[in-house]
Amino acid sequence: MMTLRDSFSSNLQVSGKITSERNVTSNPNDLRQHGKDEGPHEVAEPQVVVYPQNKEQISAILKYCNKNKVPVIPFGAGSGLEGGSSAPTGGVCVDMQSFSKILRVSPEDFDCTVEAAVTWRALNFFLRDQGLWFPVDPGADASLGGMCSTSASGTNAVRYGTMRENVLNLEVVLADGRIIKTAGIKGRARKSAAGYNLTNLFVGSEGTLGIITEATLRLHAIPEKQVSAVVQFESARSATDAVVGILQNAVPIARIEFMDELTVKACNAYSRTSLADKSTLLLEFDGSETGVREQIDTAKSVCDDNGGTEFRWAESPEERAHLWKARHAVFYATCAMAPNTKCYTTDVCVPISYLPELLESTKKDIEETGIFGTVVGHVGDGNFHTMLLFDPNDPSSFAKVHAVGEKMALKAIELNGTCTGEHGIGLGKKKLLLKEHGEDCVSAMKAIKFALDPNNILNPTKVFD
Amino acid sequence: MMTLRDSFSSNLQVSGKITSERNVTSNPNDLRQHGKDEGPHEVAEPQVVVYPQNKEQISAILKYCNKNKVPVIPFGAGSGLEGGSSAPTGGVCVDMQSFSKILRVSPEDFDCTVEAAVTWRALNFFLRDQGLWFPVDPGADASLGGMCSTSASGTNAVRYGTMRENVLNLEVVLADGRIIKTAGIKGRARKSAAGYNLTNLFVGSEGTLGIITEATLRLHAIPEKQVSAVVQFESARSATDAVVGILQNAVPIARIEFMDELTVKACNAYSRTSLADKSTLLLEFDGSETGVREQIDTAKSVCDDNGGTEFRWAESPEERAHLWKARHAVFYATCAMAPNTKCYTTDVCVPISYLPELLESTKKDIEETGIFGTVVGHVGDGNFHTMLLFDPNDPSSFAKVHAVGEKMALKAIELNGTCTGEHGIGLGKKKLLLKEHGEDCVSAMKAIKFALDPNNILNPTKVFD
């Protein structure tokens, strides 16, 4: 019997679309690497991995798969957490790694267009000399196409927004192979009322509606002055009360991140920081020289009122970089706390006033299980994460951490929040999506999915069944 | 033969959903008032106007209309400009005026939930004493439901975003009568990655996908200090060059509005301002005392470099209110310049660097026609409007202004922009939508429309055919 690889490879090669044998593979190593992401979900391998070189090839792949009802799973950096890259129904993994060009930067318009595999760190490295930057910064060095797919955000969202607010246009290959731009063939206006907002439909659709090949992104000016500080508190509640106070004082803070005492402990060990093991806020202020001073004065007085310690400053670029590198490495720092474990990480987001309550109850739940777990978060948005270590050889260990995550998500939904602020639904949160949105709403989502992908070839079994 | 009104009224009354005779009417005055908006499009009357009192009644109306394939046209404040409220295929106009309650304000979370007919001015009047405000401010006192539908924006978008960035959740009645929340049953988290972003699909869908009954909105703290200023220039190009410069200097300006010399003339006459008839920028700075001073210093030096006059200040709340009231009244001021004319107004949006070119060519086109027309705009976003007076009894007069508008839109599309930044497509710009997005993209929009409204009952003939 002809394998999917043979059929795939011969068909597409015959039509001249995939020109090299290397571009289609069913090498076991490739399959295994492409069947998972960084989350705790089981590996589920595709049957074939293809490495298209341009959008026309993706179009040909999708036409073929649509005709033959073959599942298609797009693959970016593989840094997702909810199983978005796995292939539980087999099929073709489309590895986007060749889409690595920064196509255009228009400094005068504060925007750029990149191919899907460009990572946010690579983009910022490229932009640095032009006084510009792209602010969305998830923990891993994710690809910008993947970040569009999962509606990623990060530490700067409180000030600069998430992917939703920073994508101006997308090039997408639809299930039937048609290639569209979501916001006009040449469009990069900062605002538009022309037709349905397809850009923000594809942002967050997790590869289920089309394959993103290019993104046009908003850029921002690197501020004149950036200062970071660390302040510590006696309890998680005092720290989050301080966050609420800073926001209520309308401080245009650039970043405000929470780490609980165990996260600090993990950071000290992994990233060689030297902080007391206490509830901690990392703050960043940006703007003009005097603007920053003013913001700091207000933030300090709010922190004082909530029993915060003196601010520890990180003013030089090196000190700032060290601090934020440690923050971005929290996932790895947590993992390093117990060898031979795996890390289950999940995120929720609630209105800011419910944050202290949810944070306290979650920490209590973690303590009760006796497992090691850290709590960190983009608290300025009401968004936080738990990272829980489990024994991959003990199903009851995974069951425990999963139960903590589910309880946290259900409580977040109850507190007017969402079961995921930035990780997405993937395979892991389909039931929670239903709980949060209700059946009628999810069935509207499914109607849209069916309209754009009637054969359900695009990343099937993700987001909903 | 039974009229639609009789059939409608008796069916819904029998089912106990519409309880009062007054709630269903085919009074000619009502029909006429509901068959148009403030744009130049011809009146097209519905057959019946209903005034539902709650969402369950809307659900019953839609179930009935869906079953009987009767067109349904939602009606908010009637202040739209592209014919969104007209009923070219007849049917039932659903007047939302009873949905006038502010349901909840959570100052600590900076959000609120309002019913669809609450206007942005009414909301801000209500919020004032709590130190909060909602920033989206189109010219007319539009309803917030209507503003969601058209993806409205206004003078504050450069700093605070448009409706897209300021709606957290919507309650929507779908074509088949089901009632959904677009971002979770109780959801009001500031960010979410849970499922498709239906909120931003409904924002801007112009009543073609569902009827919006409630909106959960982001609020903002009223800044400590707000200062407005006027600065004038020798040419439209110098003024727009100054705008580009201010943005490139990363001044977090709150508002930056352009008026050409004819707009100033109209304002002086209508709103009793006393400005020279020159290209003019209205600026507003907000923030802390010293933050505002700093912003002003930078903006002044950029304006000086482009030959701007001294700033004229409006620092007291009364002076500021007078200035911005005059800006908001520009439409009426233009209309008042020639009695017995009507005003054709249209908007486009381009990347900021193309603004001077498009503004100059548009002013030249207006001059060549010999008609009176003003040009104003939210230039910080690259978004501007022309308001062109035509003789409603002379078809060739309308043809002329329409040609100017179309040329401007086509040029905006060519310059990587959009044919509408904030008015919407409605009846007036369907061909331009196709030109801007291409057939494949518009057909994806239509597939979504068909998925959610298979009988095409919701605001048919709008956005696309």
Side-chain angles (χ1 to χ4, degrees), chain A residues 107-111 150-154 157-158 162 164-165 174 178-201 203-206 208-209 218 221-222 224 244 247-250 288-291 294 347 349-354 378 380-383 413-425 433-441 443-449 451-452 463-464, chain B residues 107-111 150-154 157-158 162 164-165 174 178-201 203-206 208-209 218 221-222 224 244 247-250 288-291 294 347 349-354 378 380-383 413-425 433-441 443-449 451-452 463-464:
Chain A
E108 68 286 10
D109 294 321
F110 295 93
D111 67 21
T150 54
S151 196
S153 55
V158 64
T162 70
R164 289 184 179 188
E165 288 82 23
L174 299 176
R178 283 179 303 167
I179 302 169
I180 65 166
K181 293 280 176 85
T182 56
I185 296 166
K186 299 171 68 179
R188 55 186 184 89
R190 295 187 93 66
K191 62 188 202 191
S192 171
Y196 298 168
N197 182 349
L198 295 187
T199 306
N200 271 319
L201 178 64
V203 169
S205 65
E206 304 190 34
T208 63
L209 297 178
R218 287 183 77 145
I222 294 177
E224 181 190 327
V244 174
L247 295 177
Q248 281 173 0
N249 276 279
S288 65
E289 187 83 34
T290 54
E294 251 181 358
D347 86 309
C349 189
V350 291
I352 185 90
S353 65
Y354 294 112
H378 316 310
D381 302 310
N383 179 208
I413 293 169
E414 185 53 37
L415 296 177
N416 306 329
T418 175
C419 65
T420 175
E422 56 182 27
H423 290 182
I425 298 296
L433 179 77
L434 203 58
K435 179 84 184 172
E436 182 178 324
H437 285 76
E439 271 186 28
D440 286 340
C441 181
S443 96
M445 292 181 192
K446 284 186 189 175
I448 292 166
K449 161 75 174 171
L452 295 181
V463 187
F464 34 62
Chain B
E108 67 287 8
D109 294 322
F110 295 92
D111 67 21
T150 54
S151 196
S153 56
V158 64
T162 70
R164 289 184 178 187
E165 288 83 23
L174 299 176
R178 283 179 303 167
I179 302 170
I180 64 166
K181 293 280 176 82
T182 55
I185 296 165
K186 300 171 68 180
R188 54 185 183 90
R190 295 186 95 65
K191 64 187 201 192
S192 173
Y196 298 168
N197 183 350
L198 295 186
T199 306
N200 270 321
L201 179 64
V203 169
S205 65
E206 305 191 34
T208 62
L209 298 178
R218 287 183 77 147
I222 295 177
E224 181 190 327
V244 173
L247 295 176
Q248 281 172 359
N249 276 277
S288 65
E289 188 83 35
T290 52
E294 252 181 358
D347 86 309
C349 189
V350 290
I352 185 89
S353 65
Y354 294 113
H378 316 310
D381 302 309
N383 179 209
I413 294 168
E414 185 55 36
L415 297 176
N416 306 330
T418 173
C419 66
T420 174
E422 57 182 25
H423 291 181
I425 297 296
L433 179 77
L434 202 59
K435 179 86 185 167
E436 183 177 323
H437 285 74
E439 270 185 30
D440 286 339
C441 181
S443 97
M445 293 181 191
K446 284 186 191 177
I448 292 167
K449 161 75 172 171
L452 294 180
V463 186
F464 34 62

Side-chain angles (χ1 to χ4, degrees), chain A residues 58-226:
Chain A
I58 296 186
S59 172
I61 292 164
L62 285 174
K63 275 180 194 156
Y64 175 84
C65 291
N66 195 40
K67 194 175 151 204
N68 295 284
K69 298 194 171 51
V70 175
V72 178
I73 302 97
F75 191 93
S79 59
L81 292 164
E82 289 297 348
S85 306
S86 75
T89 57
V92 178
C93 171
V94 177
D95 187 313
M96 299 296 292
Q97 64 179 248
S98 300
F99 288 72
S100 58
K101 284 191 285 300
I102 295 169
L103 298 171
R104 176 192 59 79
V105 177
S106 301
E108 68 286 10
D109 294 321
F110 295 93
D111 67 21
C112 71
T113 299
V114 299
E115 289 186 328
V118 175
T119 69
W120 66 269
R121 285 206 179 95
L123 176 61
N124 278 328
F125 186 78
F126 182 86
L127 290 171
R128 212 167 37 173
D129 295 340
Q130 308 185 51
L132 295 169
W133 69 305
F134 181 71
V136 187
D137 63 335
D141 193 18
S143 70
L144 288 155
M147 288 164 63
C148 290
S149 292
T150 54
S151 196
S153 55
T155 66
N156 299 296
V158 64
R159 169 77 161 275
Y160 295 96
T162 70
M163 290 306 281
R164 289 184 179 188
E165 288 82 23
N166 285 289
V167 180
L168 294 172
N169 201 348
L170 292 172
E171 182 179 79
V172 178
V173 188
L174 299 176
D176 61 8
R178 283 179 303 167
I179 302 169
I180 65 166
K181 293 280 176 85
T182 56
I185 296 166
K186 299 171 68 179
R188 55 186 184 89
R190 295 187 93 66
K191 62 188 202 191
S192 171
Y196 298 168
N197 182 349
L198 295 187
T199 306
N200 271 319
L201 178 64
F202 281 95
V203 169
S205 65
E206 304 190 34
T208 63
L209 297 178
I211 295 185
I212 295 167
T213 48
E214 274 180 31
T216 297
L217 306 170
R218 287 183 77 145
L219 301 174
H220 300 264
I222 294 177
E224 181 190 327
K225 179 88 180 164
Q226 291 175 300

